[in-house]
Amino acid sequence: MKLQQLKYIVEVLNHNLNVSATAESLYTSQPGISKQVRMLEDELGVQIFGRSGKHLTHVTPAGNEVIHIARQILSKVESIKAVANEHTLPDQGKLNIATTHTQARYALPTVIKGFMNKYPKVSLHMHQGTPQQISDAAARGDADFAIATEALHLYSDLIMLPCYHWNRSIVVTKDHPLAKKGKNLTVPDVAAFPLITYVFGFTGRSELDKAFGAHGLEPHIVFTATDADVIKTYVRLGLGVGVLATMAVDKTQDSDLVCIDASHLFEASTTKIGFRKGSFLRGYMYDFIERFAPHLTKDVVERASLLRSQEDIDELFKNVELPSR
């Protein structure tokens, strides 16, 4: 059994069983990958992939278990390299972050600016996507950190640490009937109008649905987007009432709109940062986490990493007062 073979089976799965695409991404030949996969299967005495002719069609039950362990082994190999680099090149390396548009656009810029000023030799890459894509990137090891709010059940292989609470605002044009409601605004008031908000599964959308459900109402959502700036654009066009993260409203750039604090209508959401269990975090990675969430010091992160379950981690932070944005 070779590390190369383990890498091949993991990458084949990452490329949706497309051996040709896998070979292209690894700068090797398709026959070479197929041969090594067959050799591994012969050595183990089980099929990792089901086949129809020359094409891979599915991962077998045994294959799923093998690939799961292969990911762990490859992760440990990367950790060994990271340990060595931490001693030889402590201020050099890479940092890959997977997150949503709202976090990338509104929560991270000042953090990243300060980080890059301190670590100019660290190559930082940000990948924006859906919660599922963020989870997959972190699980595959393509991202060192996942930063998200929604769909935390997708992150079972990650250690998720709470960073901050945030809430929503109602955004309308100045001539809209809700513009003068202010603190008197109610959920039924909002429900009376067509809404423009986030795609389901994005950025706290579930809290909005819960609030309407508690009043026996169903929101009339006419337009959804993953980008808060797009939501505001269509509010300006008169398509409906915008419901978006308060942090996404800029008093200067959005001065043509009326922003109404909706924290009394919707429960706050919590943004978390996560990384793979068993990962070796470089010094600059701990620094990044603390810049993003000052209560997550290296000591606290290490304590959380030793806990067995996400429930234990949540208990650790039960009495910690998180900042709000």
Side-chain angles (χ1 to χ4, degrees):
M1 187 184 306
K2 303 174 183 176
L3 284 175
Q4 182 189 54
Q5 294 171 330
L6 300 183
K7 184 174 184 179
Y8 283 171
I9 62 173
V10 168
E11 288 302 316
V12 166
L13 179 57
N14 288 346
H15 288 82
N16 299 312
L17 309 187
N18 187 324
V19 179
S20 177
T22 304
E24 186 176 343
S25 72
L26 296 176
Y27 302 100
T28 188
S29 69
Q30 183 176 340
I33 290 179
S34 297
K35 178 182 177 182
Q36 290 298 323
V37 171
R38 283 288 193 186
M39 288 175 64
L40 179 59
E41 290 177 323
D42 290 343
E43 180 181 348
L44 296 176
V46 296
Q47 272 198 314
I48 296 172
F49 301 106
R51 293 169 174 81
S52 177
K54 294 183 178 180
H55 300 287
L56 304 183
T57 58
H58 64 280
V59 183
T60 67
N64 275 318
E65 294 183 35
V66 171
I67 291 174
H68 178 71
I69 296 172
R71 286 190 192 278
Q72 294 177 328
I73 293 170
L74 294 172
S75 176
K76 292 300 182 184
V77 171
E78 290 302 313
S79 291
I80 291 172
K81 294 178 182 177
V83 169
N85 288 334
E86 184 66 12
H87 287 276
T88 58
L89 303 167
D91 62 344
Q92 298 183 38
K94 294 181 179 179
L95 180 59
N96 290 284
I97 300 166
T99 190
T100 62
H101 170 270
T102 297
Q103 300 297 329
R105 170 72 175 80
Y106 300 104
L108 285 166
T110 56
V111 174
I112 288 177
K113 181 180 179 181
F115 177 86
M116 295 185 74
N117 285 339
K118 184 175 180 180
Y119 301 99
K121 295 182 180 179
V122 172
S123 177
L124 192 150
H125 305 274
M126 188 180 299
H127 313 273
Q128 295 179 49
T130 66
Q132 181 68 63
Q133 291 169 334
I134 294 168
S135 172
D136 290 345
R140 289 195 306 265
D142 293 341
D144 299 299
F145 296 137
I147 300 175
T149 298
E150 285 282 17
L152 296 182
H153 63 281
L154 297 172
Y155 302 88
S156 59
D157 292 332
L158 305 179
I159 294 170
M160 301 299 298
L161 308 177
C163 299
Y164 63 88
H165 297 310
W166 61 271
N167 215 305
R168 295 145 199 79
S169 286
I170 303 298
V171 179
V172 295
T173 53
K174 290 184 177 180
D175 60 350
H176 194 278
L178 295 183
K180 296 181 180 179
K181 282 282 185 176
K183 284 292 185 180
N184 295 320
L185 186 69
T186 65
V187 170
D189 289 335
V190 179
F193 296 92
L195 304 182
I196 305 172
T197 190
Y198 298 107
V199 174
F200 186 78
F202 258 82
T203 316
R205 165 70 186 275
S206 62
E207 297 301 337
L208 181 147
D209 294 327
K210 275 192 247 178
F212 278 88
H215 286 77
L217 300 169
E218 185 172 338
H220 176 40
I221 298 173
V222 295
F223 186 90
T224 61
T226 60
D227 183 330
D229 293 329
V230 172
I231 292 172
K232 288 182 284 186
T233 294
Y234 284 89
V235 168
R236 290 183 172 98
L237 291 176
L239 253 64
V241 172
V243 185
L244 70 169
T246 299
M247 73 177 95
V249 180
D250 186 294
K251 291 182 179 179
T252 302
Q253 294 182 1
D254 301 321
S255 59
D256 59 323
L257 298 174
V258 174
C259 176
I260 306 169
D261 178 24
S263 58
H264 63 294
L265 304 183
F266 309 113
E267 287 188 24
S269 294
T270 304
T271 291
K272 296 187 177 184
I273 187 168
F275 51 88
R276 283 179 298 165
K277 295 175 181 177
S279 297
F280 175 81
L281 299 183
R282 301 281 304 273
Y284 60 76
M285 293 179 177
Y286 283 110
D287 191 354
F288 179 88
I289 294 174
E290 190 170 352
R291 285 171 182 270
F292 186 60
H295 61 282
L296 294 178
T297 62
K298 181 178 180 180
D299 177 62
V300 170
V301 173
E302 288 179 338
R303 282 165 54 200
S305 300
L306 296 174
L307 299 176
R308 292 188 175 184
S309 68
Q310 187 61 47
E311 289 75 17
D312 292 336
I313 294 173
D314 293 341
E315 184 67 22
L316 175 66
F317 291 96
K318 184 174 68 174
N319 296 319
V320 174
E321 187 173 346
L322 298 179
S324 296
R325 296 188 182 183

